[in-house]
Amino acid sequence: GGNYCRVPDLAVDSKGAVWVLNMPDPNPGQPSLYRYNADKSWASFPWSGTDVWGSFTYNAMNDKQYFTSSVFVDKYDNKWIGSRTGGVFVYNESKYALPRFLQYVKGTKEEICGQDVKCMASDLDGGVWIGTDNGVCFFSDPNEVFLNKTIKASVPVYGNKALLKGETITSIDVDGSNRKWIGTLNSGLWLFSSDGSKLISHFEKENSPLPSSSIVDVKVNQSNGEVFI
């Protein structure tokens, strides 16, 4: 029916609050981000106006970049909110009223490595790794995004090119040795060293028990090191 809500993702912060994404209301200024608090109350965050980090005007009516798809909370309780067609918002309600929006526009504004943000994960050093439709990038200091300056994500180099450039990354997780397990849409599961520069293993349908080389999700059990794909 016509009266429904799309909820593509949710995440929990250090205080136990649940952050919920909602595909935007067709009315400008309506929130896409909600918080369900431990006391069972709700809060909403209707970003509107001019971004302090540039000149981005948040408008659910006319900007495809507002169609969010994933939310991730880092160790500093910053909310990283992936967009299907624009980049990633980074938001901390205790610091700023509006998020910073990091974009990928080839040749113009390459703050991250791809336009469609698929997944995000923290490593053991607190860095945030971002999987996109064009490989992987990361911010070693997540709070750097809130500095009023030009920033650009770091891109690991493997095989003399940007890590998994051109690949659609579907999932990232980190094991107890800070190694990165990276799932892809078409080329299986990759295990890289902590900095992403050295390939340790590459699992596909042809060389492993995987039933498919199209990976949907990967999770590491941090208590015993088991990896679930």
Side-chain angles (χ1 to χ4, degrees):
N3 186 16
Y4 65 91
C5 295
R6 295 189 181 103
V7 179
D9 202 11
L10 53 81
V12 182
D13 68 19
S14 65
K15 300 177 181 65
V18 182
W19 291 83
V20 182
L21 286 184
N22 173 219
M23 295 292 274
D25 189 287
N27 298 303
Q30 293 297 311
S32 285
L33 182 65
Y34 295 80
R35 185 183 65 211
Y36 184 62
N37 302 306
D39 63 3
K40 299 184 179 180
S41 63
W42 284 91
S44 62
F45 301 87
W47 304 329
S48 61
T50 302
D51 188 351
V52 294
W53 317 108
S55 59
F56 185 81
T57 300
Y58 300 97
N59 187 318
M61 177 71 81
N62 61 20
D63 207 306
K64 293 186 298 182
Q65 294 166 337
Y66 215 70
F67 283 85
T68 55
S69 58
S70 57
V71 59
F72 170 75
V73 182
D74 67 24
K75 65 178 293 185
Y76 305 103
D77 275 343
N78 301 319
K79 272 61 71 175
W80 296 72
I81 300 161
S83 164
R84 294 186 304 176
T85 54
V88 62
F89 300 92
V90 190
Y91 179 60
N92 192 315
E93 75 285 2
S94 66
K95 296 179 181 178
Y96 302 100
L98 290 171
R100 183 154 191 178
F101 183 58
L102 305 174
Q103 295 177 272
Y104 177 81
V105 181
K106 188 174 182 179
T108 302
K109 201 170 188 180
E110 299 183 6
E111 296 168 314
I112 56 177
C113 61
Q115 188 177 48
D116 186 352
V117 173
K118 298 289 189 181
C119 55
M120 292 159 281
S122 279
D123 65 19
L124 300 186
D125 299 320
V128 172
W129 289 64
I130 301 172
T132 75
D133 59 346
N134 187 38
V136 180
C137 57
F138 70 95
F139 289 93
S140 58
D141 178 7
N143 290 317
E144 182 185 9
V145 303
F146 293 115
L147 299 178
N148 197 0
K149 66 174 187 177
T150 300
I151 62 170
K152 186 175 183 179
S154 299
V155 178
V157 175
Y158 166 70
N160 296 319
K161 70 173 185 177
L163 182 63
L164 297 177
K165 182 177 181 179
E167 294 281 356
T168 296
I169 310 301
T170 56
S171 186
I172 300 174
D173 206 3
V174 179
D175 66 19
S177 298
N178 212 20
R179 303 180 302 179
K180 278 59 183 186
W181 293 81
I182 302 175
T184 65
L185 182 64
N186 297 309
S187 64
L189 179 68
W190 303 71
L191 175 59
F192 285 96
S193 59
S194 59
D195 63 358
S197 65
K198 180 181 178 181
L199 177 64
I200 298 169
S201 295
H202 179 205
F203 304 97
E204 295 182 285
K205 180 180 179 180
E206 291 74 21
N207 70 352
S208 76
L210 288 176
S212 170
S213 293
S214 182
I215 308 301
V216 175
D217 201 4
V218 57
K219 284 289 182 292
V220 179
N221 184 338
Q222 299 298 333
S223 66
N224 60 17
E226 288 181 333
V227 181
F228 292 83
I229 301 105

